[in-house]
């Protein structure tokens, strides 16, 4: 059995994107990175000439016609934002830009500034016209940010590209958003995915996930944050308060078939907290979840201890 892997990487979306194949295939890697670059250029809010920025700059003025993948993703993101009790909000951009967490944000904005931006984050004020494929933000100052969903969408898209090129086994890593396509030719036919140790400065992991044909997406508070007066302010914001969500866990990783759904649910469940999340997951046996709590527990929901192997014994494993 072929045990060799071939790794291709590129910096995109401010992170390292990696593609692991079981064959040497520079041409496919190039096609994948080109497609990702094109999508980044359409979706980014970090450059002014993207399709999303065209919508944001026209807020309160006029609708903007966008390409079909962008329209479809905005539709999905709006749907996720309108789920009852969902903290996921595609209209969060004014608050993201105010806090600048992960982008040189170093101090807490004033209550006034937060409130002025918070009132611009109602997803109901994002109007979609599917006949024209146009998007209109009703109030000036509104903005769309797809940071909590785009990488999931992109990972699923890479899987399709690979399959169109006859590649059924691969690992896609979009800066921690991971999608295992098919199975691995290596050890036990599972792809082995390390779960990062929160706040570790190097590549330490707390354990290994063994997956086939699954996505593993993590939402956590330990990569994009700053500290002020002993408090950690991280990048997942509560649309109801305008402040970072304050929960009893540090990260949640979702194991799912679709990476888009994993990305949506990693953010939604981060916002729900542990006990409400467990309730949601009791009705969604197709979604596995791994929570790392503030008191060093790792709680597995719809995931068994064969799928997740703990390696860092300073953490305690808690099954369903
Ligand atoms: P998730 O939990 O999935 O999402 C959190 C992110 O979603 C936040 O960073 C914020 O952007 C947004 N968000 C915050 N609160 C909410 C909420 N309540 N509801 C919905 N969304 C919320 N990073 C760079 O450093 N430089 C770049 O140039 C850069 N370019 C990017 C371009 C694109 C197209 C994309 C998709 C991402 C880019 N990023 C870049 C990363 C981006 O800024 C986010 O930090 C990243 O997508 C967070 O993803 P996550 O999976 O860690 O967190
Ligand atoms: Mg997400």
């Amino acid at each position: 059995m072929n045990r060799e892997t071939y790794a291709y990487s590129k910096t995109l979306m401010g992170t390292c994107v990696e593609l692991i194949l079981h064959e040497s295939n520079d041409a496919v890697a190039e096609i994948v990175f080109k497609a990702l670059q094109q999508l980044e250029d359409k979706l980014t809010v970090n450059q002014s000439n993207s399709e999303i920025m065209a919508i944001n700059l026209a807020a309160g003025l006029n609708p903007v016609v966008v390409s079909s993948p962008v329209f479809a993703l905005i539709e999905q993101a709006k749907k996720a934002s309108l789920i009852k009790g969902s903290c996921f909000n595609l209209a969060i951009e004014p608050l993201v830009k105010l806090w600048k967490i992960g982008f040189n944000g170093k101090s807490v904005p004033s209550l006034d500034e937060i409130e002025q931006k918070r009132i611009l984050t109602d997803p109901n004020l994002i109007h979609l016209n599917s006949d024209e494929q146009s998007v209109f933000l009703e109030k000036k100052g509104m903005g769309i940010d797809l940071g909590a969903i785009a990488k999931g969408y992109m990972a699923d898209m890479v899987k399709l590209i690979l399959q169109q090129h006859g590649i059924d086994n691969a690992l896609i890593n979009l800066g921690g958003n991971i999608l295992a396509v098919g199975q691995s030719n290596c050890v036990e036919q599972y792809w082995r995915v390390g779960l990062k140790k929160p706040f570790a400065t190097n590549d330490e992991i707390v354990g290994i996930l063994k997956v086939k044909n699954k996505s593993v997406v993590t939402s956590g508070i330990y990569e994009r944050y700053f500290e002020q007066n002993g408090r950690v302010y991280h990048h997942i914001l509560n649309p109801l308060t305008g402040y970072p969500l304050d929960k009893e866990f540090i990260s949640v990783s979702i194991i799912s078939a679709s990476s888009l759904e994993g990305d949506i649910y990693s953010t939604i469940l981060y916002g729900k907290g542990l006990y409400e999340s467990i309730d949601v997951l009791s009705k969604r046996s197709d979604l596995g979840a791994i929570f790392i709590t503030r008191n060093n527990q790792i709680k597995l929901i719809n995931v068994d201890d064969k799928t997740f192997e703990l390696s860092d014994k300073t953490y305690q494993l808690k099954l369903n």
Side-chain angles (χ1 to χ4, degrees):
M1 183 173 286
N2 172 21
R3 284 172 176 269
E4 272 191 89
T5 55
Y6 298 81
Y8 300 86
S9 64
K10 190 165 183 195
T11 301
L12 290 164
M13 298 174 276
T15 190
C16 178
V17 168
E18 203 177 17
L19 174 67
I20 296 175
L21 303 176
H22 278 307
E23 61 185 74
S24 167
N25 198 330
D26 295 8
V28 159
E30 201 174 308
I31 290 167
V32 165
F33 290 135
K34 198 168 163 202
L36 287 171
Q37 179 73 69
Q38 281 170 351
L39 266 179
E40 176 181 357
D41 292 345
K42 288 182 201 295
L43 298 173
T44 187
V45 285
N46 301 308
Q47 281 163 31
S48 56
N49 56 354
S50 70
E51 291 190 28
I52 297 296
M53 282 307 292
I55 298 168
N56 294 352
L57 291 167
L61 299 172
N62 55 274
V64 173
V65 174
V66 292
S67 60
S68 9
V70 173
F71 189 81
L73 189 56
I74 292 174
E75 260 185 332
Q76 296 266 12
K78 183 171 174 186
K79 207 166 124 201
S81 307
L82 297 178
I83 296 172
K84 201 163 170 270
S86 170
C87 81
F88 185 104
N89 185 341
L90 84 161
I92 200 84
E93 190 260 3
L95 283 168
V96 172
K97 283 273 163 74
L98 175 68
W99 282 88
K100 301 196 253 335
I101 299 172
F103 296 87
N104 300 325
K106 285 189 182 66
S107 60
V108 179
S110 72
L111 204 65
D112 249 18
E113 287 174 305
I114 290 175
E115 199 43 31
Q116 276 170 28
K117 300 296 181 191
R118 198 192 61 77
I119 56 175
L120 295 169
T121 62
D122 181 355
N124 290 299
L125 302 182
I126 297 182
H127 302 285
L128 306 183
N129 181 327
S130 49
D131 294 333
E132 286 175 4
Q133 293 215 134
S134 70
V135 184
F136 177 51
L137 312 185
E138 202 174 302
K139 287 190 189 167
K140 203 166 166 40
M142 285 181 71
I144 290 177
D145 179 316
L146 299 177
I149 186 173
K151 286 199 230 149
Y153 169 78
M154 288 172 164
D156 290 335
M157 182 208 65
V158 172
K159 178 176 174 173
L160 285 179
I161 294 176
L162 292 173
Q163 287 174 338
Q164 281 160 7
H165 289 83
I167 294 176
D168 295 321
N169 303 306
L171 194 77
I172 302 151
N173 181 355
L174 305 182
N177 261 56
I178 288 167
L179 179 60
V181 181
Q183 63 189 41
S184 168
N185 287 348
C186 301
V187 197
E188 300 169 307
Q189 301 184 338
Y190 288 101
W191 289 104
R192 294 166 71 84
V193 176
L195 195 63
K196 268 195 174 175
K197 180 170 177 163
F199 298 107
T201 45
N202 48 21
D203 285 340
E204 279 176 89
I205 58 167
V206 292
I208 298 268
L209 265 157
K210 295 191 293 183
V211 286
K212 286 179 195 172
N213 234 342
K214 291 277 184 206
S215 154
V216 182
V217 174
T218 300
S219 277
I221 65 169
Y222 54 84
E223 274 181 345
R224 290 173 183 260
Y225 69 94
F226 65 81
E227 280 182 62
Q228 187 173 313
N229 300 330
R231 272 200 68 168
V232 168
Y233 294 90
H234 63 82
H235 70 146
I236 309 171
L237 302 172
N238 185 348
L240 298 177
T241 64
Y243 285 82
L245 283 151
D246 190 17
K247 296 294 164 186
E248 66 276 56
F249 54 92
I250 289 171
S251 69
V252 54
S253 303
I254 302 294
I255 301 145
S256 56
S258 142
S259 199
L260 176 86
E261 195 171 36
D263 210 0
I264 291 171
Y265 269 86
S266 71
T267 305
I268 289 185
L269 296 190
Y270 190 84
K272 285 205 176 291
L274 193 54
Y275 293 100
E276 254 194 84
S277 291
I278 291 172
D279 190 43
V280 171
L281 291 163
S282 70
K283 292 160 205 138
R284 288 297 307 265
S285 57
D286 57 325
L287 299 179
I290 302 179
F291 296 87
I292 303 185
T293 68
R294 291 184 192 269
N295 59 351
N296 279 20
Q297 291 189 349
I298 297 184
K299 196 154 179 56
L300 307 185
I301 309 289
N302 301 338
V303 177
D304 59 34
D305 59 352
K306 289 184 195 68
T307 305
F308 179 74
E309 275 171 18
L310 184 71
S311 58
D312 185 328
K313 301 298 180 207
T314 61
Y315 288 79
Q316 196 189 3
L317 201 57
K318 295 271 181 187
L319 297 169
N320 272 4

